Amino acid sequence: MKERLYAEVSNGTESLLRAVSLLRRKEFDVVSLDLRKRNNSEFSDLYITVEKASPKNPFYAQELLSKLVDFNNIQELGGEKFETVVL
């Protein structure tokens, strides 16, 4: 099952690397990433799509990301049936 998540994170690649490392350790496949820096702000918007690699995995990506430092306003944007549109 795929999960698409949004998180407000601190600027820099450290937040992105922490998220990807944690999700891989917990047996999630990262399907897509989008990190957008905000103008004149110390925060960036992170959009991440993950899929569980193992059906036995009891974790949800949203719960895992909420435990990371500098991750705020974490929201699930869609489930299995969403479509990504690239403009």
Side-chain angles (χ1 to χ4, degrees):
M1 180 175 148
K2 290 184 182 177
E3 284 184 74
R4 183 150 198 244
L5 304 167
Y6 163 82
E8 183 180 83
V9 299
S10 296
N11 283 339
T13 57
E14 294 84 20
S15 298
L16 178 65
L17 293 174
R18 274 188 270 131
V20 172
S21 296
L22 174 64
L23 293 168
R24 287 300 305 142
R25 279 195 312 270
K26 297 298 182 179
E27 297 181 359
F28 282 89
D29 290 330
V30 177
V31 177
S32 70
L33 290 169
D34 187 12
L35 183 65
R36 299 177 187 173
K37 184 176 179 180
R38 295 181 186 170
N39 291 334
N40 301 323
S41 177
E42 60 187 59
F43 295 103
S44 297
D45 298 317
L46 174 63
Y47 297 90
I48 185 167
T49 305
V50 296
E51 187 170 14
K52 289 185 180 183
S54 168
K56 296 179 182 179
N57 185 349
F59 297 105
Y60 293 100
Q62 185 176 6
E63 292 175 13
L64 293 171
L65 292 181
S66 69
K67 296 178 182 183
L68 291 174
V69 176
D70 296 332
F71 275 67
N72 304 308
N73 193 24
I74 301 165
Q75 302 171 15
E76 185 172 358
L77 299 177
E80 180 113 11
K81 296 182 180 179
F82 73 87
E83 291 184 25
T84 303
V85 177
V86 178
L87 301 175

